[in-house]
Amino acid sequence: MFKIIMFVRKKQHLSTEEFIKLWEAHSQKVINYKEALLIKDYAKTFPFQPTDEKSSTQRETLPFTFDAMGELWYESKDDFLRARNTPEGQKALADLRADELKFVDMVNSVMWLGTEERIF
C-alpha cells in the first residue's frame, strides 16, 4: 500500500471543536472524491489527552504537538500518481486543498508519503 500521513495543526483562531467540525465536513468531500482519487482507505486520529505530564509521551519520545493525524491509503504509488493526472483528480485536489486551507495550518503541519510494509 502507498499512503499519505499528515500530522495536522489547526488554524490558531479555531477552537478544537470548530476544527473537528470543519474536518468532519472535509471528510465528506474526501468520501465524495474517493473514486476520482483512487483512495482505498481514509482515517483520522486525534491525540490522547493525558491526565498528567508523565503519560504525555511513551518511551521518552518527544511529545506529540499536533492536533490530529490523517491517513489516506492507495493500492499503489501508480494509482496515487495516475489519479492526480486526470481532469477529475485535479478538480478534486483543488477543491480539497481549498477546503483544507479553512482549518489546517499548512506551514506548521507535516505531510509524509511512503510505501507501507504490513508486518501482520
Side-chain angles (χ1 to χ4, degrees):
M1 286 279 174
F2 185 78
K3 66 194 283 187
I4 297 173
I5 299 173
M6 187 166 181
F7 297 106
V8 179
R9 287 214 176 110
K10 67 179 180 62
K11 297 263 185 175
Q12 282 191 343
H13 71 277
L14 296 173
S15 69
T16 298
E17 294 76 21
E18 291 168 322
F19 169 70
I20 290 170
K21 187 173 183 175
L22 287 166
W23 200 351
E24 286 173 358
H26 179 76
S27 294
Q28 187 57 56
K29 288 184 176 218
V30 174
I31 291 166
N32 293 341
Y33 289 129
K34 76 178 191 172
E35 290 180 23
L37 293 173
L38 302 175
I39 297 169
K40 297 296 285 180
D41 288 300
Y42 173 49
K44 301 183 294 190
T45 305
F46 295 94
F48 167 65
Q49 299 299 323
T51 55
D52 60 34
E53 189 176 311
K54 187 176 179 182
S55 65
S56 67
T57 65
Q58 297 291 314
R59 299 183 191 154
E60 300 175 15
T61 62
L62 294 172
F64 189 81
T65 59
F66 297 93
D67 297 293
M69 180 178 77
E71 296 177 85
L72 293 170
W73 286 264
Y74 302 84
E75 196 64 45
S76 67
K77 181 173 71 171
D78 289 340
D79 279 0
F80 168 79
L81 294 171
R82 186 172 46 255
R84 282 158 168 67
N85 289 310
T86 66
E88 298 84 10
Q90 291 174 356
K91 178 187 178 302
L93 290 171
D95 187 32
L96 292 172
R97 170 80 172 159
D99 195 53
E100 286 170 343
L101 292 174
K102 296 175 186 174
F103 64 98
V104 176
D105 177 351
M106 290 294 192
V107 173
N108 291 302
S109 296
V110 176
M111 184 178 284
W112 182 60
L113 287 73
T115 302
E116 180 179 85
E117 177 183 341
R118 294 237 174 160
I119 307 303
F120 64 86

